[in-house]
Amino acid sequence: MLDFIGCRHEFCDGVSRRDLLKVGALGLGGLTLPGLLRARATAAAEGREVRRTSVIYIELAGGPSHFETYDPKPTAPREYRGPLGSVATKLPGVRFSECMTEQAKIADRLAIIRSVQHESSSHETSAHLVQTGYYLRDRQNRENEMPCIGAVAARLRGANVSGVPAYVAVPNMMRSGAAAYLGKGFNAFETGGDPNKANFRVNNLSLVKTLSLDRLESRRTLLAALDSSRRVVDNRGVSGAMDNFTSQAFELVTGDRAREAFAIEREKDKARDRYGRTTTGQSLLLARRLVESGVGFVTVRVGSWDDHTKIKDRILGKAPALDRGVAALVKDLQASGLDQEVLVVAMGEFGRTPRVNKTAGRDHWGSVMSVLVAGGGLKMGQVIGSSNRKGEIPQSSPYRPEHVLAMVYRHLGIDPEQTFNDLSGRPRYILERRELIKELLA
């Protein structure tokens, strides 16, 4: 087995968690990964198109203010509009926060949904909703109760090519980014580290010094021999699934494709500068490299949006890096023609309170939030829905986080009506609310 250890996440509610990924067995229900790979190979052999779609999901952890990002209220009273100004975008009559100047220049390549809402203002419960489509039933639970969208994609889609992980988290798994009852083998491969640092390297992609390639091959041969006896009594396909994972793990540490995908230092200085020499900018550049190399689902964790105090200073400290990185990512994907195959989503767990609080910040607010979408062959250059004058609730075209996830599953070719059995044996839908965002459909 390969073990990948994540890091501890902290929020204002004091929640912390150490994420763990173990490459293990597949779940027992539904389409197995070997079957999926076989189906793809058959389609390719018959000359049928195999669409290599992928997703970059930017987790704005902590819940960004919609006022200080994509839904400023320049005509609202000051206690609602906040301390920052707004800028005109390429779309007539549409304004973004003054911190989103680079995205404002390419607003014709974006779709902003200003009317996403739900009923929770808890970090843990809300993050679970926007990453799985289900509220967390037990707010004290620090583990996923339902599988994250990236894990579902890994379970049903796998990677677009062999030799790279199906689901990668930069640098660590999202707050509710685990596989739950699908099995830990479908958790994210975590890069760890900071892609902006000169010594950035991804662990677990090379052999330890004491283990030669010959010794590793010998261990795999021994494992295969030991597994042969298990197959005699295996009538549910578990052995084949585990063999497939063993092969994938072997290819990760002995092949070149994954190492090349993660080698951000091979990017030209001009490209790296375009994204910005920041952790956020370089993380988004790494995400682009990964989808180009065949990774099917990449999450980029951009944290510290829990702005209860001094929101002006805190936003000015982080929003420009996100703005620059997202703009460079969207432009690169379009320039390379990948904007049809790659869907970009940027979403936090909720918005922020309409009225600025006594400590010059904004608190949790699930009643309305803004979500960015780009690419995926969807209809860009629009703002979908609106919030009212004070940014309190949706005023038109109300949507929910589940509808955003339904669009992601549609892009990946996954039917969200499919079910998997949870740990109690109860069949659970991938999504119970599966309506699409009709304005995005080209």
Side-chain angles (χ1 to χ4, degrees):
M1 281 192 177
L2 297 180
D3 290 355
F4 304 105
I5 304 298
C7 69
R8 194 172 294 274
H9 307 317
E10 298 286 351
F11 287 87
C12 67
D13 56 11
V15 174
S16 65
R17 181 183 69 226
R18 187 170 297 276
D19 294 317
L20 171 67
L21 176 145
K22 289 188 177 181
V23 177
L26 282 163
L28 298 177
L31 180 65
T32 63
L33 185 57
L36 173 64
L37 298 175
R38 192 179 307 113
R40 287 186 178 177
T42 300
E46 294 175 354
R48 290 186 278 121
E49 181 182 3
V50 180
R51 198 166 174 231
R52 288 179 41 166
T53 54
S54 54
V55 172
I56 297 174
Y57 185 114
I58 305 167
E59 181 203 11
L60 303 178
S65 165
H66 47 296
F67 297 89
E68 279 74 35
T69 52
Y70 302 110
D71 192 13
K73 300 294 181 181
T75 64
R78 179 170 176 79
E79 63 269 27
Y80 291 89
R81 116 175 141 257
L84 296 178
S86 62
V87 295
T89 72
K90 203 167 183 179
L91 301 177
V94 175
R95 302 184 73 82
F96 288 171
S97 164
E98 66 175 81
C99 294
M100 299 296 169
T101 55
E102 295 304 311
Q103 291 174 82
K105 297 173 185 175
I106 62 160
D108 58 326
R109 309 182 201 183
L110 308 174
I112 305 297
I113 311 165
R114 285 178 169 172
S115 53
V116 177
Q117 64 174 161
H118 62 85
E119 295 78 29
S120 173
S121 293
S122 158
H123 282 300
E124 201 74 27
T125 301
S126 301
H128 196 272
L129 174 68
V130 302
Q131 293 161 27
T132 72
Y134 290 84
Y135 284 118
L136 190 69
R137 290 167 293 182
D138 179 3
R139 288 182 55 181
Q140 302 306 311
N141 191 351
R142 301 298 175 249
E143 302 294 332
N144 276 59
E145 293 175 352
M146 301 292 288
C148 164
I149 189 168
V152 174
R155 174 70 170 82
L156 293 178
R157 283 284 309 270
N160 285 314
V161 298
S162 61
V164 297
Y167 170 28
V168 176
V170 183
N172 303 104
M173 274 202 302
M174 299 187 296
R175 188 180 182 102
S176 294
Y181 50 76
L182 294 184
K184 291 184 182 294
F186 295 105
N187 281 358
F189 181 102
E190 299 179 289
T191 66
D194 181 352
N196 191 43
K197 291 186 176 179
N199 62 350
F200 173 71
R201 293 291 183 275
V202 177
N203 295 326
N204 304 303
L205 292 179
S206 59
L207 300 179
V208 296
K209 293 180 180 179
T210 58
L211 185 61
S212 68
L213 186 60
D214 287 342
R215 288 183 63 195
L216 183 63
E217 181 63 57
S218 296
R219 290 186 179 189
R220 186 167 70 156
T221 301
L222 176 60
L223 179 62
L226 293 173
D227 282 348
S228 63
S229 61
R230 183 181 56 201
R231 281 198 189 89
V232 174
V233 294
D234 178 15
N235 59 4
R236 301 191 70 178
V238 177
S239 296
M242 292 185 70
D243 284 349
N244 188 270
F245 271 113
T246 302
S247 297
Q248 287 191 17
F250 186 85
E251 192 165 359
L252 280 178
V253 300
T254 61
D256 294 327
R257 189 185 294 274
R259 280 195 295 276
E260 290 174 359
F262 287 103
I264 194 172
E265 71 276 5
R266 297 187 183 181
E267 289 284 337
K268 295 181 179 179
D269 286 342
K270 186 176 181 180
R272 300 195 71 172
D273 292 343
R274 190 169 64 252
Y275 280 76
R277 296 288 185 153
T278 62
T279 299
T280 297
Q282 298 304 297
S283 294
L284 293 170
L285 174 55
L286 179 57
R288 191 213 75 200
R289 287 183 61 88
L290 292 170
V291 295
E292 287 176 341
S293 299
V295 176
F297 204 100
V298 180
T299 62
V300 178
R301 186 177 177 84
V302 181
S304 193
W305 295 92
D306 199 16
D307 298 326
H308 291 280
T309 61
K310 298 181 180 179
I311 194 167
K312 179 179 180 179
D313 294 340
R314 288 175 59 85
I315 290 287
L316 290 175
K318 65 196 166 223
L322 176 72
D323 177 50
R324 184 172 182 174
V326 168
L329 173 64
V330 171
K331 288 189 283 188
D332 273 4
L333 291 174
Q334 186 171 61
S336 64
L338 286 174
D339 57 311
Q340 299 296 304
E341 285 74 36
V342 181
L343 175 63
V344 178
V345 175
M347 178 163 57
E349 58 261 44
F350 39 55
R352 310 300 292 191
T353 48
R355 187 187 290 269
V356 176
N357 64 27
K358 294 180 180 179
T359 56
R362 297 186 191 269
D363 302 315
H364 306 172
W365 191 256
S367 296
V368 71
M369 58 192 285
S370 293
V371 175
L372 175 144
V373 176
L378 300 175
K379 186 178 180 181
M380 296 291 105
Q382 61 173 326
V383 170
I384 299 170
S386 63
S387 62
N388 65 359
R389 180 172 175 264
K390 293 181 179 179
E392 300 160 312
I393 56 174
Q395 181 172 267
S396 63
S397 301
Y399 284 107
R400 293 183 55 85
E402 298 97 306
H403 302 144
V404 179
L405 299 187
M407 295 301 301
V408 175
Y409 283 126
R410 174 185 180 272
H411 177 70
L412 293 171
I414 293 173
D415 180 1
E417 194 172 358
Q418 182 169 342
T419 63
F420 290 99
N421 289 345
D422 63 17
L423 295 177
S424 69
R426 174 190 174 189
R428 303 299 301 270
Y429 290 113
I430 292 175
L431 283 179
E432 290 186 353
R433 305 187 70 159
R434 301 181 284 272
E435 302 93 337
L436 297 175
I437 300 172
K438 58 183 183 298
E439 293 92 338
L440 286 173
L441 303 176

